[in-house]
Each structure stands twice: as C-alpha cells, then as structure tokens.
Amino acid sequence: MSNTQIIADSFPALHQTIGDKRLVYLDSAATTQKPQCVIDAITSYYEHDNANIHRGVHTLSMRATTAYENARQSVANLLQASRKEEIIFVRGATEAINLVAQAFARPILSVGDEILITEMEHHSNIVPWQLVCEQTGASLKVAKVNDDGSLNIDSFKELLTEDTTIVAFAHVSNAIGTINPIREMCALAREVGAISVVDGAQAVGHIPVSMSDVDCDFYATSGHKMFGPTGIGCLYGKHALLEEMEPWQGGGDMILSVSFEETTWNNVPFKFEAGTPNIAGAIGLGAAVKWIESFGYDTMIQQEQELLAYGRDVLRSIEGVTLIGASEHNAGVIAFTVAGVHPHDVGTILDHEGVAIRTGNHCAEPLMRRFNLSATCRASICVYNTRKDLDHLGSAVQEAIRMLG
Amino acid sequence: MSNTQIIADSFPALHQTIGDKRLVYLDSAATTQKPQCVIDAITSYYEHDNANIHRGVHTLSMRATTAYENARQSVANLLQASRKEEIIFVRGATEAINLVAQAFARPILSVGDEILITEMEHHSNIVPWQLVCEQTGASLKVAKVNDDGSLNIDSFKELLTEDTTIVAFAHVSNAIGTINPIREMCALAREVGAISVVDGAQAVGHIPVSMSDVDCDFYATSGHKMFGPTGIGCLYGKHALLEEMEPWQGGGDMILSVSFEETTWNNVPFKFEAGTPNIAGAIGLGAAVKWIESFGYDTMIQQEQELLAYGRDVLRSIEGVTLIGASEHNAGVIAFTVAGVHPHDVGTILDHEGVAIRTGNHCAEPLMRRFNLSATCRASICVYNTRKDLDHLGSAVQEAIRMLG
Amino acid sequence: MSDLRELYLEMVTDHAKNPRHRGKANPCDCIGTGNNPLCGDKIVVTVQLQNRIIESVKFDGEGCAISTASADLMAEVLIGKSVEEAKKIFKMFHELVAGEGTSDNLPNKLAVFSGVREFPMRVKCATLAWHTVIAALDGVEDVTTE
Amino acid sequence: MSDLRELYLEMVTDHAKNPRHRGKANPCDCIGTGNNPLCGDKIVVTVQLQNRIIESVKFDGEGCAISTASADLMAEVLIGKSVEEAKKIFKMFHELVAGEGTSDNLPNKLAVFSGVREFPMRVKCATLAWHTVIAALDGVEDVTTE
Ligand SMILES: Cc1ncc(COP(=O)(O)O)c(C=O)c1O
Ligand SMILES: Cc1ncc(COP(=O)(O)O)c(C=O)c1O
C-alpha cells in the first residue's frame, strides 16, 4: 500500500461522497481534516479523564493536568522552543496575534512608532494591528508583494527603520501559498531593534518550523490547520518577553493570589491562560503533533511539493485558467481564476463534482486588490491528497468552463 | 430503572474505578462530565462534516456552518434570548467577562466611575474588573456576604449609587453555591442606570435561566460546566448594546471589508468572533443544550435539591465537620472543613476512596478570607449523582478523620 | 444531489453574461451598496423614483452569475412598480429562494431562481441586489448578506 | 493504587500536628515567602545565618500535613548546614519526591517523604518550604510552586 493510501485511510472524513461523487478535499488551508488518532484522543479524554486542571487533587484532575501539560511539551518540541513555558495555549492564530497586539504592543506603542506588515497578510494579521494603531497612535506600514506573489524584499527593507517597533508577517500566505524568508526577515527586524511576530497558521504541519533557528520573538499557530481540533492554537513567545508582559485577560489560573487590594500574576505561561482552557483541544493538538512527527516533515514536503507541481500543470493546461501568485518558494496552495466564470460559480460547480475548494477573498482583501481581483479560486493541498484528486480538480474546472465559460 | 440510573448510564467517564474504588465524582462545579451524545456530536463532526465555516461554498463547509449556527440558536432558546444574534461564542465565562470589560467597559469608564461586585465572586469576575479599573481609573466596590453565605443585599443597595457604571455578580457562587436574586439585582442596577453583568458559569445546566425574565445586560456561561465541551462558552448581550460596542479582537470573520485605510466591522455577533471559532466545541455545546432540554430543569432542580439536603445531612452528622456558607437558596455545592485535617489532605484521602472533590480556595480567595479560611473542601452535586455517592463522601470523610483528625 | 442545471438555467446565464441594466440611474434618487463577503462581491444599486414609483433601477459592480442575473432581472421586474410593491415582491422572492415559498405570485421572470433553494450557500448571492435595493429605498446605505 | 499510609507515616503526621520549628528566626538574616495556590497555602520561612552556616530555620503560615511536616523536618535537617549543603540536600530531596532519585544520600529523617512520589499532586506540598528557603537564601522574596 502506498504511503498516500495509508494516510488517506486514517482520515475518516475523506471517505465520503458528495452527492454521488467521491469527496476531493482541496480546502486544507481553511482547515485540515483530522486523523483518527486526534479524534480518538479527544473522545478518550472525555470518556476517561475529563476534569478541570491545575487545581485538583483527585485522580481525574491529575490525569487531565498531565495530559494538558504534556501537550504543551509536545508543541514545544515540534516548534523547537527552548522550554515549554514559551508555549501559550490560545484559541488559534487570530487570538495569538491579538494577544501580542494587546498585551505586548499596546502598552509600549505611541505616536511615531511603526508597525510593518506585508501586502499578503491574512486579515488576522492586519486588523489587530489596525486596532492597536488606532488605540496608540502608532502607524501601519505595508511592504509590497511582487507580481509572482513573493515578498518584495526591497520594499520590506526600505520600510524597516529605526521607527519600526513591530514587524508582523506570514510564514506562509494562505491566499497564494508564498513561503517567506522568515529567518532573514527576523534578522533584519532585530537589526533595527524591532520585535518580530510571525503568523505561522499555514506553515506548521506543512514545513518544518524551528524557533531556535528562526529566532523570532513571537510565532502564532492554529491547531485546526495542523491536523488538530478547532478552538486551540499556540502562541510561542520568547521567555524573557513573556515574563515582562502584563497579562491580557484576567481570571482563574492566571493569578497567584487575589485580594481586592492587590492581585499577583501567576508565572508564564499561566499568566496568559485565564480561565478554564480548551483542555480537550490541547490534548487533541498534542495527538496531532505526534501524528506530524511520526509522519515526518521530509515526506510531507516532498509529497506536497510534488502535488503542487502536478496541480499547477493540470490547471495550466486548461485554457482560460490563470494561476495567481505562483511563486517559486510556495507551499501547496494554488490560487487561480477562470476566464468568464466567477470564482463563486466555479466553487459551486466544483462542489457538485465532489471537489471542495475555497473561493472568495480568503480573508486577504488587500492582496486581492494588489492583484486587481475581488476573488479567486483556491485549491490547497495536504499530505492526504493524491494526483487523482488534482485530476478531478482539472476535469471539474473544465466542466465549469463548459457550463458557464 | 430509575431516572438517576438512566442518567448515570449516559456518562461514560462515571463508569470507572479509581484504584479499586468506584469513582464518585463530586467535582461538577469545576467541570461536569459529558453525556455520550455530546461526545458523539464532536466525533461525528470531525468524522463527517469537518470544514471551516461561513466562507465556504462547498458541502462540508455548508454543513459545518449550519451546525454551528444551529448551536447558536439552541443556546439562544435555552437562555430565552430574544434572538440568536445575542449569543456570542467565546472560550468560556472568563473570556466572556473579559470581553465585556475590555470591549464594553473600558471605552466608557473613567475616574469617578464605579464597578460594583460582591465578596463571593470567582476570580474571573474580579480580575477583569481590576484590570479595567487600573486602565481607566474607575474604582471597584465590593458588596458584603452574610455569615450564611447569602449576599448582604443592604450592602449591595448601599454601594449601588449614581456613580455605579457596571454591576457584576455571580448567578450562583462556585465556592459555596449561593443562588443570588439576580432579577432583583439587575432591576436595582437599572434604577441607577448601571449595566448588569451576570456570571452564570454555575447556573446554566442546574437552574433555569431566562434572559427575558432576568433582564440583565450581559450574561456569561461556560460550556464545560453545562455538560458541553471545554473551550466553548457564550456571552449573551442585549442586541442594542452589542451593536454599539466596538470589537475586541480583530481578524477573519469579524470584518466586512478590510483595506489598509479602512476596515468595516461585520454584524453582531460575528463582530465579536474573530478568527476560526471552536466549531466542534459549539456543536458539542448545542448537543449539551439538547440534552439539558430533554432532561428538563424541573427534574434537575428537584434531584439536585434533594441530594443537597441529603449531602448536608450526611456531613453535618459527622463530628468535626463544619459546613461553610450553607444558605437557604443554594445550588448543589457543599463547602466544608474538617477539624484538624487540612482540606488538601482531605482531598487526597477522599481520592484514595474514589471520591473526587475539590479543595483549596476555589478561585474565590476573597470569599475564603471573608470566612477566615485559606481553603475549604467542596463537594459539588450534579444530576448524575446519587445518595450512594453522598454516603461514600461521608464515609471517606470519616476515614480522613480517622487517619489525621 | 440537486441538479446544477436547475441553478444555471439559460435565462440566468444569459442575464449574467449580458446584463441589460448595468450602470447608474440618472437622475439617481436613491443609492445602496451591498456587500457579500462570501464572494468578495460588492454591488451598487441606484434607483430613479417618481412619486414612489420606480422609473429605473441600475446596478454596478462585479458578481457571480447568480448575483448578476438576479440584479439584472430584479431591475427588469421592478421598473414601473411602487416602493411598496417592490418590498412585497422581495419578500416573496426571498421566500422562494430560501425554500419557504413558491413562485406562484411572483413576476414570471423571477421563477428562474427556484433552483437556488437547493443551493443554500447561494441564497445570499440571489438576494444581494434585492437587499441592497430595499435598503436604498429605505435610505440605508450599506447592507451585507452575511 | 498507592498506599496512603506510605504518604502519612507517623513521623509525618506527628510533625504536622506538633511542629517544632514554627515561628520566626531571631535574629532573622533572610526571609522568603512561599505560595501554593493549589492548597491556598502560604508559608514564611526565616533563617538565621552565621558565616553562611544555618543557625536556625523557622516557618510560619498554615499548610496541609505534608507541607507542614516537610517544613518542620527541613528546619530540623538544615540547622548546622552550610548554604551550599542546603542546596545539595534540596536537589536530592526534590529528586526523591519527584520519583527521580532515592533517599540514599539524604539525611535519614527526610526519607519519610519517599511516599510522596506516588502522589504527584502532593510534590508541590512537600517542596514548598524548600523552594522558599532556597529563595530566601538566594535573596529572592516570593516563590510559588505552581
Ligand atoms: C495565514 C493565516 N493567518 C491567520 C489565520 C487565522 O487563523 P484562525 O482563524 O485559526 O485564528 C489564518 C486562517 O485562515 C491564516 O491562513
Ligand atoms: C462562578 C464562576 N465564574 C467564572 C468561572 C470561570 O469559568 P471558566 O474557567 O470556564 O472560564 C467559573 C469556573 O470555575 C465559576 O465557577
């Protein structure tokens, strides 16, 4: 049995038909499907260990606490963080970035400070900075994107100045798949004394990510995009920065002691995990990390790159199809348009053929505008996809052209 | 088969032994166990419908969106909100209260404004207000608690003045179980023009809660305390207030349109749900609501009150045991101390007997201080408990006294 | 599985490809902007009124086949109708595409959208122009179908 | 299931009930405050030093049996030891209760805490006083075991 077959077998949701067509899931950039081991970890937690954590003396609470903290360690290992306390569990990349914007940036920003982002950011890495700019008087700068979808590094360098306090950018673009040279970008940020925030939502689970190598200050991830459950994600932060920061939310577990006169914060990472966290989510994420590790990034990259090249060929060979921002260093995301057929109609027709893609602005309106588009079609690839899936994509697109083109 | 048996059967985690003792779970105020239907709803979502919501044209995305929005409707029905848009999905009660403190209170508070809370609040309903007081210069007032654990309503009335901007209090105390007269308290708040925020974490799933009856402005709940999954909860807010408020977090789904010059917020409730939400969590919560409804509050109250009375009797009959704050209007929470045995040791010995209770300050340090205690034991009752469970509690406490008393 | 051909009837694709009412009403008595974040589409609807009778409806902006055809056929149908009639028609149209009503009392041309009921994700496309024109008539500027 | 009697040995319960070293060292050369949010306990440890030799250790505050007995026996063991020896003993003690080491090289009296290793939730109780005294010796004021 092929590697691909083994993988496909362990994802229950992939084994279904849409109408009378086999499901071809090419929307993993929106959310990945979950391997059985992740689903089982959640079920098993609820069926055997369910309890609140950290404050309990009883056995279930101890088991739940251990499982939750082991998940933190697993994530720390996967990301090659130097210690598990650098991993804060949040709802997802969006909350992670908002946490940095509010708890780290807001207190230190004022008029004259600049935040540098790029034209290819997801709304989640734009709006939190717009909000904090409005709150503090800081201003937002935007580095340009080249026609091929790669970052215009000259524009980035030009806008990176002594006034730049924070630099925030995607590791991998969700809309077009560009892989940014984040190590170099973080180094450039450090040179001007700026703090780097990397939006890794689309990277983890696809390409290796190492905090010790990248040397960024913050890194945001979403569990549901790396084979884990919804409602869980991580913020990595350098320990020294996390220590300095004030908490963001207040509540249980994030304090050492509360009186009406004075409240003492708990240690990192608990200081940032107010209230009962998504315990089952963290445990499911831990299982997802184990799955990624057992599969191995080498195989992953090789398969996804191979499928990316194949998928691009399939689409390029169809008259009327234009690929958008198909850069050289690209993850498995193929953005395209079809002449004469609106992406939304393409999406409906593809769905009818069993092919699930995403259409629209992909929460990246400014990037769409950069390419003079209001919407695109996006097929995103994951290890469980096959060449056959991309063949289906191709024939479904041809069907769309036949119907409406 | 008795009602109680039927319930007990549908909670898989309750069917286990701790060492060689049957598990007696009396820690439901920390988190409730989950009925099989909730676990199945989560599993089924991941195995069949898993997709990101709101922006997809394909079938899975449509199914996921429908299930997620149906869950919102279910919660709205359970809470008797006037429309489903008044329900915002959050991580839990803690995040709900922080959302109100930051997105509603922070922009309107300034020096001279007062926030009134009570001595029996959970840290999650204290610290967010302390933070916002520090940020705005507003000040925190604290209504007293009587010796029997009930709210001192005179103190509450006295502290409620024209300067009071926000009043925040628990529906049910997690530490001692007091049920507060929230309808009356909200009416008093309205009289002075204050906004009422009710912390309902311990109420929903135990006693009926009706927004249309209570007429509060905000109401916070945690899914994991009402038979639902971890990582999900709701903030109810009056529609007009939610409309007025600025968003709290920025990201995907909470905006209508983003440009670097201007960003337009989405409608309520999406404005407050930035990023991919806990989709599986919301769907699981929807299933929990269905479970509560099918069980019915009448039966629930009757059973819990009966068990409360029985449990109090069991403990009162043991020499050396003192009940703490055992008020007349009480939910199924029994707080107690054992002469000569520290609560933490009680907890360990009970665990050894299979009895799971919580010990410590229960995230209610100020209340502990009010009773001159640093910690208590807390047995909390849920519909799946039985008299036999409470008999076990009694004999385990006697064992603790034998060993250390 | 529902049939795609019920959604993309020839009349729909024809109006989508060759809309007759693109542009801006002149004079323009009211204007509305609609937004469907799902498609990334925006539409501007302009109306010329005379004594609360619609003289002309025009729309502009890019959209999918369903929303374009719907806007165009809406314009066709609304000309000569009173504001009140327009609202009544919208109500019935909404019920039709949401699967809660029939096309019995609707202007004939709108019946081609019956197929939308089988595609719930497309209901917003079919109703965007309608929401927008009603908002324009009510004097509200921005609407969204999400 | 581990045996409770291994946790609550007679020596432990005796020192918990009748601690010999409650109070405040006088003169007090260093002081530390420890905090175990799990029990809601707080402990204050005071130390009298003479040329980096511990002359006296006292503790105050309320705690569970394990943390009280551990504080009391710690005080007993540390008297006469150098700061460096104290740190070494703590390291071994921590390994013992965390289940990573044995009591072989530990002062005899501390061996009674071997049972703690079977109760992971109680490790923090057994080490609170130790963390606090080390912090006091290092000049750090507040510690927590969470
Ligand atoms: C690049 C990027 N950043 C951030 C996010 C936001 O992630 P989430 O919605 O899980 O918070 C996404 C998800 O779409 C993304 O693709
Ligand atoms: C009364 C009360 N309020 C708030 C909370 C906080 O809930 P969560 O930890 O689920 O955010 C709790 C939970 O312990 C509680 O009992």
Side-chain angles (χ1 to χ4, degrees), chain A residues 72-85:
Chain A
R72 194 194 304 280
Q73 185 66 59
S74 298
V75 173
N77 296 347
L78 183 77
L79 296 185
Q80 300 187 13
S82 54
R83 44 199 292 192
K84 84 179 176 74
E85 289 78 13

Side-chain angles (χ1 to χ4, degrees), chain A residues 51-290:
Chain A
N52 214 324
I53 57 169
H54 289 149
R55 299 294 165 94
V57 281
H58 59 77
T59 302
L60 295 194
S61 177
M62 191 183 77
R63 280 196 227 138
T65 304
T66 305
Y68 180 78
E69 292 301 328
N70 284 349
R72 194 194 304 280
Q73 185 66 59
S74 298
V75 173
N77 296 347
L78 183 77
L79 296 185
Q80 300 187 13
S82 54
R83 44 199 292 192
K84 84 179 176 74
E85 289 78 13
E86 296 185 320
I87 304 298
I88 299 164
F89 282 125
V90 291
R91 180 167 34 245
T94 302
E95 191 182 33
I97 297 168
N98 278 278
L99 197 166
V100 177
Q102 291 296 312
F104 176 78
R106 187 171 181 174
I108 62 165
L109 289 177
S110 57
V111 178
D113 288 323
E114 293 180 0
I115 300 172
L116 175 59
I117 62 173
T118 85
E119 240 172 9
M120 71 173 91
E121 299 312 314
H122 187 279
H123 293 166
S124 289
N125 204 21
I126 301 174
V127 185
W129 306 116
Q130 290 181 321
L131 286 172
V132 79
C133 282
E134 208 179 286
Q135 287 155 349
T136 62
S139 53
L140 196 64
K141 302 283 159 178
V142 187
K144 296 254 169 267
V145 163
N146 296 318
D147 285 343
D148 72 349
S150 62
L151 180 70
N152 183 328
I153 196 83
D154 292 332
S155 160
F156 182 79
K157 285 181 185 165
E158 201 182 296
L159 290 169
L160 191 63
T161 72
E162 296 294 322
D163 293 331
T164 312
T165 311
I166 289 161
V167 187
F169 45 81
H171 192 166
V172 173
S173 152
N174 69 303
I176 51 177
T178 314
I179 303 177
N180 282 315
I182 61 167
R183 192 162 173 270
E184 180 186 352
M185 291 165 80
C186 289
L188 289 168
R190 243 187 332 276
E191 270 174 33
V192 298
I195 291 289
S196 52
V197 183
V198 183
D199 171 1
Q202 294 292 342
V204 185
H206 295 280
I207 57 175
V209 177
S210 162
M211 296 303 101
S212 66
D213 177 56
V214 168
D215 203 12
C216 56
D217 295 301
F218 295 100
Y219 194 95
T221 70
S222 288
H224 70 96
K225 291 184 199 280
M226 50 183 280
F227 310 105
T230 55
I232 192 77
C234 304
L235 173 66
Y236 159 88
K238 277 193 178 157
H239 196 262
L241 286 173
L242 295 178
E243 283 284 350
E244 268 173 40
M245 281 160 67
E246 287 291 297
W248 180 32
Q249 300 189 29
D253 237 31
M254 55 70 71
I255 45 84
L256 274 189
S257 120
V258 172
S259 74
F260 294 125
E261 295 74 39
E262 199 194 349
T263 288
T264 322
W265 310 134
N266 201 340
N267 297 330
V268 166
F270 307 112
K271 184 167 71 174
F272 299 105
E273 293 181 2
T276 304
N278 186 350
I279 305 171
I283 292 169
L285 181 57
V289 167
K290 292 262 147 69

Side-chain angles (χ1 to χ4, degrees), chain C residues 30-46:
Chain C
C30 45
I31 180 167
T33 311
N35 199 318
N36 185 346
L38 186 56
C39 336
D41 289 346
K42 289 189 179 108
I43 190 175
V44 180
V45 176
T46 45

Side-chain angles (χ1 to χ4, degrees), chain D residues 28-95:
Chain D
C28 162
D29 296 302
C30 44
I31 180 166
T33 310
N35 200 318
N36 185 345
L38 187 56
C39 335
D41 288 346
K42 290 189 178 107
I43 189 174
V44 179
V45 176
T46 45
V47 185
Q48 181 189 349
L49 281 175
Q50 183 96 39
N51 297 328
R52 294 187 69 73
I53 298 295
I54 294 165
E55 295 272 300
S56 157
V57 180
K58 299 267 182 199
F59 74 96
D60 223 335
E62 227 194 313
C64 64
I66 307 299
S67 78
T68 306
S70 175
D72 206 48
L73 285 162
M74 173 188 84
E76 213 144 303
V77 158
L78 287 188
I79 293 169
K81 298 286 191 301
S82 71
V83 170
E84 287 64 38
E85 283 168 319
K87 290 186 179 178
K88 246 187 241 158
I89 296 172
F90 171 47
K91 192 166 170 289
M92 287 187 293
F93 180 74
H94 196 289
E95 285 168 1

Side-chain angles (χ1 to χ4, degrees), chain B residues 382-395:
Chain B
C382 196
V383 279
Y384 41 65
N385 290 121
T386 61
R387 283 183 172 229
K388 217 168 119 195
D389 290 349
L390 296 162
D391 290 334
H392 273 281
L393 169 67
S395 52

Side-chain angles (χ1 to χ4, degrees), chain B residues 311-382:
Chain B
R312 282 179 172 176
D313 285 347
V314 165
L315 288 172
R316 277 199 183 108
S317 73
I318 302 172
E319 209 187 302
V321 171
T322 309
L323 301 195
I324 309 295
S327 77
E328 202 182 324
H329 292 289
N330 223 82
V333 173
I334 312 179
F336 63 97
T337 56
V338 179
V341 192
H342 188 281
H344 206 172
D345 296 310
V346 175
T348 295
I349 297 168
L350 262 57
D351 181 50
H352 202 257
E353 300 292 317
V355 180
I357 63 160
R358 185 132 305 216
T359 65
N361 63 33
H362 313 289
C363 293
E365 248 186 289
L367 185 68
M368 294 295 117
R369 222 167 280 133
R370 153 74 183 78
F371 283 107
N372 281 317
L373 295 164
S374 67
T376 64
C377 307
R378 180 189 73 185
S380 52
I381 289 162
C382 196

